[in-house]
Structure formats: C-alpha cells, structure tokens
C-alpha cells in the first residue's frame, strides 16, 4: 500500500484532488521513499506516524 | 536606428561562450506511486554544453552556476488519462507547474531567474503508476536567456 493509499485509508474524507494542493506527497529518489512534504488540508489533521505504520 | 552596445564586444563574446544549455530525457520508464510528486529520472543527455546538468542518480539536476534568466522546457507523459502534472523544482521546492487534466501529456515552458548556486529539477505527478520514457514525449531543457 502506498503512502497516498494509507492516508486515504485513515482519513476517508481526503479526496484524490487534495493530493494536488492541500496535501503534497513527494519522493525525491534518495532511497527513503514517499513522504508528506506539505499538509495544508482545511479540515483533516495530518496522520501520525503510528497511524500510517 | 543605431545599435547601442553595452560593454565591449569581448564581453559579449565571453557571455555567449559561458551561456549554459542542456537537453535531457528519461532513458527508461519510471514506476511511481500514484498521486505522488516524484523526481523524474532524467538520465539521458542530448547535449550539455557546459556540463552543468547532473544526470546521475538521484541528482538529475541543472545547476547553471552562471547567474541569469533561463528558459526551461519540461514535458512528460503519464500513464493516466485523468491527471498528470509536470513541475519545475527550484532548490528542492516547486517553482512552477502545469496540470494536464484529461490528458497523458503535461508540458511547461517558463523563464526563471538563477543565481550561481540555484539548482533546478524536473518532477512529475500522475494518477497512474508510470512516467513513460518515450523520447519524443518527455524532455527537460534549459537555455540561458540574459543576465540578471
């Protein structure tokens, strides 16, 4: 399961469109995988590392 | 109308000689996570006049080192027909981007200022899981336009 899929799983109100502006998930190819670069969602809080584990 | 030159001819000649330009593309398809901004593996150079483009993993970046305004051309083809985005990143953060909705093809042409240490990268986003490497559909290019 990708990070985007995990986020949608624990925050069901997050939509696909949110990942273009409100939530930025990035991968800079440094070997550390996908990560949350920005979280500016107007109503949903950023999941904790435990929630995404 | 008389032509007014600023500086000497030697200065202008030097400027042209030190005006970096490069063109590169992806050498193979890149698997990505859907809806995730990912640095594109632009690792195949067409030209690199001053060796300012680093095509090695995971860098894939242009550091012109000559301050000035540069025109950038970016193009990508994603595997989704829903949403694809190509973005110019400057110093690790998005500078400008182009969203293509209902199309596999996203293209961006933009002029950006650069100092001697700024670097630029080409990033892609698709609601699919592949950035296609077809050489006529993806490119990352820059050329010096004028001094700051």
């Amino acid at each position: 399961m990708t990070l985007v899929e995990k986020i949608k799983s624990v925050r069901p109100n997050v939509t696909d469109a949110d990942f273009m502006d409100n939530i930025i998930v990035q991968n800079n190819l440094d070997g550390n995988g996908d990560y949350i670069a920005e979280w500016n969602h107007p109503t949903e809080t950023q999941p904790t590392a435990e929630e995404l584990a | 109308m008389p032509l007014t030159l600023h500086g000497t001819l030697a200065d202008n000649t030097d400027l042209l000689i030190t005006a970096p330009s490069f063109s590169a593309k992806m050498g193979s398809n890149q698997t990505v996570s859907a809806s995730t901004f990912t640095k594109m593996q632009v690792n195949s150079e067409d030209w690199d006049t001053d060796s300012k483009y680093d095509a090695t993993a995971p860098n894939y970046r242009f550091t012109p080192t000559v301050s000035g305004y540069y025109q950038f051309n970016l193009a990508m083809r994603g595997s989704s027909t829903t949403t694809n985005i190509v973005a110019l990143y400057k110093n690790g953060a998005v500078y400008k981007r182009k969203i293509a909705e209902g199309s596999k093809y996203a293209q961006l042409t933009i002029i950006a200022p650069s100092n001697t240490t700024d670097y630029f990268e080409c990033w892609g986003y698709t609601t699919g899981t592949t950035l296609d490497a077809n050489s006529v559909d993806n490119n990352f290019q820059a050329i010096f336009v004028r001094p700051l």
Side-chain angles (χ1 to χ4, degrees), chain A residues 11-15 18 22-23 39-47:
Chain A
R11 295 289 185 273
N13 292 328
V14 168
T15 67
D18 284 325
N22 296 325
I23 304 166
W39 187 282
N40 299 306
H41 198 283
T43 59
E44 298 294 319
T45 59
Q46 181 171 340

Side-chain angles (χ1 to χ4, degrees), chain B residues 8-128:
Chain B
T8 67
L9 181 58
D11 289 340
N12 291 334
T13 303
D14 290 345
L15 181 61
L16 290 173
I17 290 171
T18 57
S21 174
F22 82 96
S23 179
K25 57 186 179 294
M26 297 168 58
S28 58
N29 289 351
Q30 182 176 352
T31 301
V32 298
S33 299
S35 304
T36 299
F37 286 88
T38 305
K39 188 190 294 188
M40 292 173 61
Q41 294 171 333
V42 184
N43 56 6
S44 176
E45 293 181 345
D46 297 313
W47 70 82
D48 184 9
T49 59
D50 296 80
S51 300
K52 303 301 184 184
Y53 183 75
D54 183 348
T56 60
N59 298 329
Y60 311 122
R61 66 178 51 165
F62 177 59
T63 309
T65 72
V66 177
S67 62
Y69 292 95
Y70 288 81
Q71 177 174 317
F72 291 86
N73 304 315
L74 297 79
M76 62 155 282
R77 183 173 78 177
S79 60
S80 168
T81 56
T82 304
T83 303
N84 295 284
I85 303 173
V86 67
L88 178 68
Y89 273 53
K90 180 179 180 180
N91 301 328
V94 64
Y95 180 73
K96 295 288 182 184
R97 67 184 192 180
K98 176 70 175 187
I99 301 174
E101 293 186 300
S103 170
K104 289 184 173 183
Y105 306 93
Q107 299 181 12
L108 172 67
T109 297
I110 189 74
I111 294 174
S114 177
N115 63 27
T116 57
T117 59
D118 289 332
Y119 64 91
F120 300 85
E121 300 161 331
C122 183
W123 286 58
Y125 171 111
T126 179
T127 48

Side-chain angles (χ1 to χ4, degrees), chain A residues 3-24:
Chain A
L3 179 56
V4 165
E5 290 169 338
K6 289 180 181 176
I7 292 170
K8 289 195 287 188
S9 175
V10 300
R11 295 289 185 273
N13 292 328
V14 168
T15 67
D16 288 337
D18 284 325
F19 291 97
M20 286 192 289
D21 291 303
N22 296 325
I23 304 166
I24 303 299

